[in-house]
Structure formats: C-alpha cells, structure tokens
Amino acid sequence: MIDPIWIWLTPYLGALALAILWISGVRDERIYGGTAVGSILISALIATILTPSVYHGHLIYTKYSWLPSLGINFGTYMDGLGAFMALVVSWLSLLIAIYSTEYMKGDWGVQRYFFFFTFFVGSMLLLVLADNLVLMFIGWEGTGLASYALIGHWYTDEEETWVGDPGRKAFGTPMYFEPSHSGVRAILFTRVGDIGMIIGMALFYMITGTFNIPQISETATGWMSFLASKGVLTAALLVFSLGALAKSAQFPFHEWLVTAMTGPTPVSALIHAATMVKAGVYFMLRFSPIFYNGAEQLGGAALAATEHYFNIIALLGGVTAFMMATMALVSRELKLIFAFSTASQLGYMFLGVGAAGLLAQKEMAYEGIAASAAHLMSHAIFKAALFLIAGWAIHAVHSRFIDNMGNFSKYMKITTLSIWLAGLSLAGLPPFSGFWSKEGVIHAAQAAHLENLWFLAVFTAGLTGFYTTRAIIRVFHMPPYEPPHHEAELHEAPPRMLWPYTILAFTALIIGLVWPFGFGADFSNLISKTLGFEEPVKLAVEFNATTYGIITWVLAMVLLVPALYLVMKVDFVSILKTSKTARILHDFLYDRWYINALIYIIIVGGFIGAIDLLGYVDGFIDAFYHIGIPIAFILISKGFRSMHKGRPDLYLAYYAYGIGLLLLMLYLIWG
Amino acid sequence: MALDITGNITVLTYIILALGVIIPLTKPLKLEKTRIPYSFAWLSTLLFSIVSYEAFYALKTSDTLTMFNGLVTYNSFSAFMLMVSALASALVLMAIKGRAEEWPTAPAVYGLLPLIQFGLIFAMGINDALLLLAIWLLVSVASYVIIALPKDVDSVKGAIKYALMGSLATLFLAVWVALNIVATGSFTILPYQIGLATLLGFGAFILSIGFKLGIAPFHWWLPDVYGKSNGYGVSIVAGIVKIGFIAITARVIYYISAGGFSTIVTVTLASLAVVTMFWGNLAALTTRNLQRILAYSSIAHIGYILVGLTALSYAAGAHDLQLAMYSFAAIAIHVAAYSVSKAPLFAVMGEGHTELSDIKGLFHRDPVSSVSMAILLLSLLGLPPLLGFWGKLYMFTAIASYSLPLLVIALLNSGISAVYYGIAIRDMLSTDEGTAVYDAPRKASLATAATIIIVAGLFASTLFHIMY
C-alpha cells in the first residue's frame, strides 16, 4: 500500500524542485511545465490506485508526529470524501497543467506560473486530505497564497489583463480592476473569513483539546451541548464557517472571485472554478455531517441552533445562486460570465448542504450532502471545460469581450461541440451530469420545505440556461458586434489545449449518461464512506411532474436565446440606448447590484475614515511621545541645572533645605 | 613558610605613608620636574595593589582579616574594593603622565596620591568611629587640595566650594561619631540599638556621606567640582577617593540596619536613590558639555549604588546573610565598573572643558580613543556584556526582593541615560570635525580601561563569586 501522504507531498516536492531549478538558473519553460505535469500525474495516479480500497470501506489513515504537544500530526486522512476530492483535484489539475504548457508558452513569467501552479495543487490536496484543522489550514492558506500570486500573475497591469470596462464607475467607485489590485482583493476578502475560521479552530481546541477532525467528530455531542448551553452554538458554527463562505465566494464575500479573472485563464479554470473555490464546499461537506449528527443526538436547544445555522447557510447559498446568475445575464466578458456562473453554482452547493442539514431523516440528509458533492464534481468538470474554451476564445481574438467574438462555429467544429456539451451540462439539462447533481440539490431544498429557496433555485436554473446559451450563441453562432482590434486567429486550438477541454466536455456528457446506470450508485457508495455518514447513501432522481416541469422551464429558457437573437433578431444594444428602464436595470446588473461600490464606500471608506480618526489619535500619541515627553524632560532637566548656579551661598541654603527635608522624612517614618 | 600578612600589610601601609612624605621633598631638591615623583607615585600604587593582593590571599583561608589592633577588619568586599582603587590609581597615573609636572604646584599631586591610598587602606575595613573621622579628614583635605592644585580659576573656585560644603559635612560626621557612642556604647561601629540617638545618628551620617558621595539633595557642589575643575584632579576624587567612602557607607549602613533599625534606613535610602537617579539623569539630558555630563552621570550612578545599599539595608534588617553578601558583591561589581570607566574618562577631559562638539568626528581622527570611550560610556549605560551591565544586573536583582517599583524606576533611569550616552557616541561617530585630540598616555589609559571593562565583563560572574 502506498502512503497517501505522497498524494499531496509529490506536488509540493515538484514545487520545491522548480524553486531549486530557478535558483540554479534554469529557465527552460519545457522543464518547468514537464516537472509540474509529472508531479501532478504521479499524485493523480496514487490517488487513483488508493481509491478502490476506500470504496470498499477501508479508511486509509497515516500519521507522522509533528507537534506532539498540540497533538498535531502530518496526518493524511483518506475517507470517501477525501478520496473523491483527491481524484477530482488531481486529474483536473493534470489536464489543466497540460493545457497550460501550451497556453503559457513564451510568457515572461512562465517559470513563476508553474511554481505556484504546482504549489497550489499540493496545498489543495493537503487541504482535502488533512486529518487535523491546523494542517488543513496550512493547505487552505497555501491555496490562498497561490491564488493571490496567480491572479496577479501579470502584475505589470497592462490593460488587456484587466477585468471590467476601463473607465467605468459606479457611484464614483471604479469598476475596472488591474491584476495586482485583484490579487490583493482576493487575499483580503478571503482573509476576513479566515479570521473567523481561526477563531473557530481556537474555540474547538479550547473546548475539546484537539485539532483532530475525527476526534472533533467523536466529541461533537460534548462541545455542541456546551456551546448550546451558552446560547452561542449558531454563532460559533457560523464564525467557524466564515472561511468557507469567503473561500467559496458566497454573498457577501463573492466580489473577489469576479475580479480574480485577471489571472491567466487556466488559473481561472483550475483555482477559480474547479478546485480552490470548492474548498469552502469541501469544508461544508466535511463538517456538516458532524454538526448534523451531533444535533440529532442532542436534540432540544442544540438541534434548534444547528437548524438555525443550516437555514442561514441555505439562505446565503440560494441568494448567491440567484444574484450571481442575474449578473451573468448582462456581462460582456466571456470569463466574467463563467465567473458569475461559478459563484452561482457554488451557491447551489451551499443550498444543498444547508437544506440537507434541515432534513429530519438521516439518509435523506446524507443524500442532500452527497448531492452537493455530486454537483461539486460535475461543476468542476464542465466549468473547467468552459474556462479552457474561453481561454482559447480570448486568445483567438485578443479580447476578453464577447462583442469582439463571433461566428466561431464556422472555424472550430470540435470546440463548438465541446462548449455545447459543457454548456448544456451547466444549464442542467438531461442527460448531462449537471442535470443529475443540480436536480439532487433542488430536490433537497424541496424536501426541507424551503419553498422560497426552492422556487429561487428553480428560477435560477432557468436563468443559468439563458446566460449559458446567450454566451454560446453570441460567440459561436452570431457575427461579432464589433470586429476585433487585432487580426483574429480563427482556427482550432493547438492539440495540447484542444484535447483537455474536449475530454472534459465529453466527460460531462458521459458521466451524465452513465449516472442512472450504476455510476450514481458507485458515487454514492464512495461518499457513504465519509466520516460522519452513518447510513449508506443512494442518490437517485425520481422523475415526477415537478422534475418534468423544471426540465421544461430550463429548456424553454435555453431555446429562448436563439429565438431572440437568431429568429427575432432583437437588437438589445439599441433597446438599451432608447429605454431608460432597461438601462437602469442593465446598469444595476452590470455593476453587480452595486455591491462592490457599497463595499468600497461603506467598508473601505469606513476604514479609511477610521484610519483618519486613528491618525488624529496617533498624532496625539506621537506628539505626546515625541514632543510632550521630550519637552517635559528638557524643562525638568533645565530646571535642575538652573539650580547649579555656581554660588556657594545658594548651595548652602539648598543643603539646609535638604537637612530639613531629611529630618522631616525621618520624623514621618519614625512616627 | 607562613606569611605574616598582617605584618606585611602594616609595613607596606607605612611605606606608602612615607612615600607621601618623600615625594614633596623633591621640590626643594629641584627634582619636581623629573620623572622621580611620578615613579614614586607608581611605586606607591604598586605597593597599594600588593596590599589588596595580600588581603585576598589571607581571605582565602579565613572569612575576615583583622589588622591595626582590631581597628580594621577586612572581608572579601574590602579586598575587592581595595583592588579596584589600585586599578583606578593606575589608570589615573597612566593618563596623567607628563601633565602634573607642568602645574605650578608640582609635584604635590604625586605626593597626595599615597596619602589617599594610605587612608583608603583603613577606610575599606574601618571599625572605629573616631578613626573614621580621622581618615575622613585626611582624605577630604587631600581631595580639596587635589582639586585646587592645577591653580586655574575654575579648579580653585571648585575647590573652595568643595571645602566649604565639606566642612559642614564634616561637622555632621562629628555629630554622628558622638551619637554612635550613644547608640552603641562604644567607639566601635556595631549593630545599633533602636532609639532616638540612632535615628539622629543615621540622619547625621546621611547628611555627611550624602555630601561626600553626591546624594541628591546634598550634591550641590558636585557638578561644579566634577564638571568644571581640571579633569586629572577630578579623576582622583571621583575615581579613587569615592570608592573608600562607598565602602564606609556600606559598612555603616549594614550595622545600623542589622540592629533592628532597617525599616527607616531602607525607606530613606530608597527615597534618596529615586531622587538621586532622577536628578543625575535628567540634569545630564540637556547638558552639551561632556565633562558635566560625566559629572551628572556620577550623581546618577550614586543613585544606582543607593539601590544596592537599599537592598543591603533590607537584607541586614531581615537577617538575610545570603542577600546581604549578594548585595555587597553587587555593589562592589558596580563600583568597579564605575571607577574603571570614570577615572580615565575624567582624566582625558584634562584641562579643557570638553564640549560634545569637541569630540565630534573623533572616530575618524582617533579610532582607538573613541572606541575605548564608547565602550566605557556603554558600560556606564549598562550594555551587556560589559562590566557595567553586570553591576546593574546584580544590584537590580538584589532589590527585586524588596521593591519592584524601585527596580522599575532604576531600569527607567538606565533608559533615560541611554539618551545622553547615545548622543555622545553619535557625536564621536559624526563626520563633523571637532578639536579634541588625545595623546599617547591618555589613549593608553582609555584603551586599558576599555579592555578591563570588556574582559571583566566576560568574567563578571567569576569576579562576583570571589565575594559571594
């Protein structure tokens, strides 16, 4: 049996090798790409070899002592969820790494790119396989660091690397973002959540005396009843989950993900679609069964508090899903559409977990959680494909705006097929993989009697179909609104870019096809081996009237797009020019519900105000230390020295006073 | 062969006294400008250091060494203080070479040095109040004269103030001698009984010794004498004579407190320590004359030593012999650091009233002197691993068991002193051109002292355990 530690250690060693190569002066990008692909391939193979054992019910758990005093080990914990995540992360990373070797060819920072890419993969795998919170947090922050570095990869901030329309402002707040600015945004937004996560970790350690996740699970009833008795269980769980909400770009932390699109497109595909943003979902999948089981066993106040928590999670997920989908409707940047869509789909996953936590029946609750996991997988696959295609599209016309793209279907048949496969999977139409998983989430919301959120989710599914089809029709089947500024390279992508996304797109289809014929059951079986799953899960979609209704609604929205654009030839641009109402609505969505402006004005502006205020306070403190104290000392010093006038008569008088003082003092003490 | 150490020391003491009489005789023989008086002063210092060495030798086998018919009793503290005086004498003599011969009063200073050393041999272990008064007069008068010897206006003015205030202080010492008899029933300094006489006696002692050491608010003469008079004279008074008075103070304070009078003594000493430290350090802050900075810093250092004396008094009152020995040793280490630094520093101030602007750029003109001076100043500041650090460390550790606020105040004062020592060092490193230059003897004195400060600092714990 291979030690599972190698799954995450191999990419780290790859990154270390790249760092050493850089220091040694090696600059050949093929060596960098090769090392990255090779180390990730080894990691993916090890994960694949080990998974069958987990599938058959053997937990793979190894540990090496690290900080014995805190009980922290280098523990690799490979249960059903861990194995599943390791597979998704490692294989997707491999395909995207291969794509990157072509995409980043000749880039001035390609060596740095592959270093952080490999470092990211190691951190992500560490995150999903760590057996304790501290180790998990190290992986967590490692992914954040790599994300920051790769978002700001083109830190010289040329205009073609920006996100947003240059010059556009909302309430005076610029709505265009340079890579270096976006990198800082990403790290700051997620940092807010991570502080909550650290507080949660410290809280668990104080109560349970351990960082070990299985032990936290075992002692769940203990610490949950303690927190519930203090009336802070809901708050504690929410604070602990803040890191997950921020990492997975859930409202109100979603803003960083949108502007993270300044990074190279493979980075958007890997980190900001397929893997890192799923860390928050992984966190929920990992911990929600623990919270759920604890609450079920305790009942009473603990159950009520936990249900309150899951309600909030479901609400945030549902709202995010809807909000981000509306923004995707009007976006003019291809990557941005997919970024909105990513946050929206992550919202579905949170909704699924939140709804599952509210279900009284154990197996149904686990099913809801597993449905979120399934959506995580299907989304990772089709969204990675979409981003990789977007990367080629942007490269082809040298523009990120879909206005400059058009009629791609005439020049690239395989790519057109791929984007339709991936896109329809995103839209959630059968028989694509996205249908089964999204249906599972919506079903959980219905079962949990979250009628409003269920309706919102169904409505959003239609919006998803609409914006996905809009993007595909605009780019592949309509002439461009504006011709590209540079001469376009309208032909199929080179093989190393073409094959990864074609494979992914077909995977989305094939998984969907085989889902009802055993794959769904196999997947359920693997997830059933997860920590905290007390009953085996059976994911199965029941086709009833509601299901058919939803499919019809989504299909109608998908078909509406070609009807509007190709048949009725509605001119949205002139509508926007003439109708004020349309413009107000468009600007509201285009400027992202003005949330970014509000965050900048209220939070950033508030902090700047606080800085000014503290500046005054600091000024006083500064003046006290640098002016007040020195002046006081100078005055005292000069006062003392002025008594030394060199006159013996004065000295004798002073001496006499001294005698008096001494006698007085002795008298006082004596008395 | 068994050595008769008591006899040896007695003989050496009389030879030193004889040298004090012989050296002035070079004047009528017209030999005052030759090397002879200077060589005799060195001889006296050599014999003086042999005394300290012999005392150490004797104390290897017994705890105390009693001499002069029981008038003087040495312990390791006394022997160590004697050794420090010998070292300070040597450093002063190194620096003064070729200078005192040019004074109109030559060779008086060379003649007075043996007299002071003669007095110190008694002062270090004195048991008798009357003898103390005699030694006090001998050494004090010698000090006044030494300050006046260069005969420049500032020195003479300083000497007059010194003598005027000194006579008042001597008066109080005489009062103490009388009250000592009342408090202990004899001339011998013994543990005091509780009573009004003891209280007044202690007050009188503080008034006299406060003048001598420069304890605020009895220190008024000190900035004028230390800060303006000729530096060679000051180096003898501040670097050598003072050691004897510190030894006397420690001994008397110990006996007064041991008799059950420690609360008043300890509180008084602690209060005086606070006032003295603040006075010295704060007054030094705005001074831009290096010699006056050294003068004020001498006051501050007496404040630190008072902290050690407070610990000693507390230990004596609590009959904690361990802590008392610890405090004695701590004071001795600090006095060593103080004397070895101050003697050459005052000496190099020489005739000129050295302003800080004069030593600007000294590092570029004279790296040896400036680095040595910097080391001595940093030792006074208490920077590890220099000897001054260990003195403060041991004294402040000793006081921790009595009063934490006093410890904090002492540390705070060390912090304040960093400002003026730092300014002096910064000026030496600056690129501006000052005027101060130091000739070979003074350079040698500084470099030797700096070496001692570093080496002794590295072996401070060994030195400490000679006594503790």
Side-chain angles (χ1 to χ4, degrees), chain A residues 127-199:
Chain A
L127 195 170
V128 297
L129 291 172
D131 79 324
N132 64 71
L133 291 172
V134 172
L135 208 56
M136 180 177 134
F137 192 72
I138 291 170
W140 188 276
E141 292 303 310
T143 62
L145 180 70
S147 160
Y148 158 78
L150 289 168
I151 291 170
H153 178 75
W154 289 312
Y155 58 80
T156 44
D157 293 348
E158 276 84 11
E159 195 180 308
E160 68 255 28
T161 61
W162 294 6
V163 156
D165 302 3
R168 188 180 178 94
K169 290 190 177 183
F171 298 131
T173 307
M175 292 299 287
Y176 49 96
F177 304 88
E178 305 86 0
S180 51
H181 180 188
S182 302
V184 173
R185 271 166 64 96
I187 209 150
L188 286 184
F189 269 94
T190 49
R191 202 57 59 250
V192 175
D194 292 352
I195 290 168
M197 191 169 159
I198 293 179
I199 295 171

Side-chain angles (χ1 to χ4, degrees), chain A residues 7 11 37 39-48 51 83-97 117 121 124-125 128 270 275:
Chain A
I7 297 174
V37 170
S39 61
I40 296 168
L41 176 65
I42 295 170
S43 168
L45 288 175
I46 297 171
T48 313
T51 302
F84 159 70
M85 288 301 294
L87 281 180
V88 171
V89 170
S90 58
W91 285 108
L92 273 169
S93 305
L94 179 68
L95 286 175
I96 297 170
F117 191 99
V121 177
M124 187 70 205
L125 289 166
V128 297
L270 178 67
T275 56

Side-chain angles (χ1 to χ4, degrees), chain B residues 222-242:
Chain B
L222 194 144
D224 288 359
V225 175
Y226 282 22
K228 288 185 177 167
S229 306
N230 186 300
Y232 295 110
V234 176
S235 72
I236 295 172
V237 173
I240 307 170
V241 175
K242 208 175 224 177

Side-chain angles (χ1 to χ4, degrees), chain B residues 240-295:
Chain B
I240 307 170
V241 175
K242 208 175 224 177
I243 303 174
F245 288 107
I246 293 169
I248 289 171
T249 313
R251 182 172 282 260
V252 172
I253 292 290
Y254 180 78
Y255 281 121
I256 295 179
S257 291
F261 207 68
S262 72
T263 313
I264 291 180
V265 176
T266 311
V267 173
T268 309
L269 288 177
S271 318
L272 291 172
V274 172
V275 176
T276 308
M277 283 189 291
F278 273 119
W279 196 294
N281 281 318
L282 289 176
L285 266 187
T286 49
T287 311
R288 290 296 172 266
N289 178 303
L290 185 54
Q291 193 176 340
R292 270 183 100 81
I293 287 180
L294 291 173

Side-chain angles (χ1 to χ4, degrees), chain A residues 599-647:
Chain A
I599 289 174
Y600 272 63
I601 290 166
I602 295 171
I603 297 180
V604 179
F607 271 107
I608 289 171
I611 288 167
D612 288 346
L613 192 69
L614 286 173
Y616 283 113
V617 177
D618 193 48
F620 279 116
I621 295 172
D622 198 55
F624 174 71
Y625 279 110
H626 291 110
I627 301 170
I629 289 184
I631 285 182
F633 273 61
I634 287 168
L635 289 178
I636 295 170
S637 179
K638 290 198 167 155
F640 282 178
R641 283 174 54 212
S642 70
M643 294 179 78
H644 295 282
K645 288 196 198 308
R647 281 171 53 185

